[in-house]
Amino acid sequence: MLRYATPLIFAALGGMFSERSGVVNIGLEGMMLMGAFFGILAADKLDSWVLGLLIAILAGGAAALLHAVWSIHFRADQIISGFAVNVLAAGLTGYLFIDIYGQEGTPSDIPSIPNIHLAFLDGVPFLGDIFGNLNLMIWLALILVPVSWFVLFRTPLGLRIRAVGEHPRAADTVGIDVYKIRYGAVVASGMLAAAGGAFLSIGFVNSFTEGMTSGRGYIALAAVIFGNWRPYGAFAACLLFGFSSALADRLPEYSDSAAVLFQALPYVLTLIAVAGVIGRSIPPAADGKPYKKQ
């Protein structure tokens, strides 16, 4: 569950910051895909998972900056802008993957993000099996949840982000640079989403395939809605999605038909979240609304 939930947690936290600032980021899927491809490409060519992760984050930030320019500067429709990022990322990574690696795919000896071994949990029933040898990125995702809550609700920066997402005109009148805050939040969201994508390619499966994010960016966006645009709520929703994916991964051992059914569960839950059947989540008042400085 934790392995499947980790890329969703990174992307959901990124989406939360973007939407809290007033910019809908449906481009999380493309930003994750950029992180997944450029992360494994850099790790392969530079022989370092650290540089791979760094390049992945920068690639996601670049894709997010493109979305920010369209959405904030040119005031384009944010849904169309995000979808354009997704299409661009799918085309670019697919082309480069075939051009660089061909039909053979990525090598099997690419440096991967290591696991953290907690020796003091060795031999501890249940807890030792779960937490004793988790990937570094899983621990970072778990740490980022309270950190994101603190930044958003206990710091001046978080107050500014929430202010421009609720009432940008009022924030502007008290001297807050609405454009600067929104640009920063959107770029940060892309970096976080790309970190989740990098975990997929160089931390989880240690390979890359075309479109390997498989809709996880959209699921992360649904987790933001599930969680009412709050870190802990989004985290809980990601765990729910991760649990359903992990369950589907284990079920073929007992029933192939049940496994196929459960593979669709995360996407069904996404539809439910978007439709608003479970609860009536209220987004930030200015979410999705371009702002024009007077």
Side-chain angles (χ1 to χ4, degrees):
M1 177 181 72
L2 290 172
R3 284 196 296 266
Y4 280 106
T6 294
L8 302 179
I9 294 170
F10 278 105
L13 292 176
M16 180 196 67
F17 278 109
S18 180
E19 299 219 359
R20 278 286 185 172
S21 74
V23 180
V24 174
N25 193 355
I26 202 173
L28 291 173
E29 174 78 5
M31 295 165 197
M32 288 185 75
L33 192 57
M34 293 282 283
F37 175 74
F38 285 101
I40 201 167
L41 176 64
D44 177 27
K45 302 303 181 183
L46 302 176
D47 196 32
S48 169
W49 67 265
V50 175
L51 293 176
L53 181 59
L54 177 61
I55 296 298
I57 291 172
L58 292 176
L65 180 61
L66 188 61
H67 176 52
V69 170
W70 287 340
S71 300
I72 301 169
H73 186 77
F74 294 113
R75 296 188 292 279
D77 185 287
Q78 295 174 9
I79 301 298
I80 296 175
S81 173
F83 187 72
V85 169
N86 291 340
V87 174
L88 176 63
L92 179 63
T93 57
Y95 171 78
L96 291 176
F97 173 68
I98 296 298
D99 185 58
I100 295 171
Y101 293 108
Q103 298 300 319
E104 296 182 359
T106 51
S108 58
D109 59 347
I110 295 176
S112 60
I113 300 173
N115 291 347
I116 302 299
H117 179 223
L118 302 179
F120 65 89
L121 289 178
D122 288 349
V124 179
F126 189 71
L127 291 179
D129 294 334
I130 297 175
F131 298 104
N133 202 37
L134 288 178
N135 190 272
L136 172 64
M137 295 297 285
I138 298 178
W139 286 113
L140 288 178
L142 296 176
I143 292 169
L144 275 175
V145 175
V147 169
S148 297
W149 176 86
F150 182 81
V151 169
L152 198 58
F153 295 104
R154 291 292 185 271
T155 65
L157 175 61
L159 180 61
R160 290 184 175 93
I161 292 173
R162 288 182 286 127
V164 300
E166 292 291 343
H167 203 310
R169 185 76 63 205
D172 196 4
T173 59
V174 296
I176 297 174
D177 190 329
V178 175
Y179 292 157
K180 183 178 179 180
I181 293 295
R182 286 190 170 181
Y183 266 101
V186 174
V187 172
S189 76
M191 290 181 169
L192 285 167
F199 167 73
L200 275 177
S201 61
I202 55 176
F204 193 175
V205 298
N206 207 35
S207 65
F208 181 86
T209 56
E210 291 184 72
M212 71 178 299
T213 48
S214 302
R216 286 179 175 86
Y218 300 112
I219 295 175
L221 194 58
V224 175
I225 299 171
F226 255 38
N228 200 26
W229 289 268
R230 291 177 175 271
Y232 288 111
F235 172 67
C238 290
L239 289 182
L240 175 63
F241 291 134
F243 176 76
S244 64
S245 298
L247 188 62
D249 191 45
R250 295 295 184 270
L251 279 177
E253 205 170 317
Y254 307 99
S255 170
D256 290 334
S257 58
V260 173
L261 179 64
F262 269 84
Q263 283 173 358
L265 184 57
Y267 305 99
V268 173
L269 292 176
T270 302
L271 290 174
I272 292 172
V274 174
V277 175
I278 296 180
R280 286 293 174 182
S281 298
I282 301 175
D287 193 22
K289 300 176 182 177
Y291 176 71
K292 184 177 182 181
K293 188 176 179 67
Q294 296 296 319

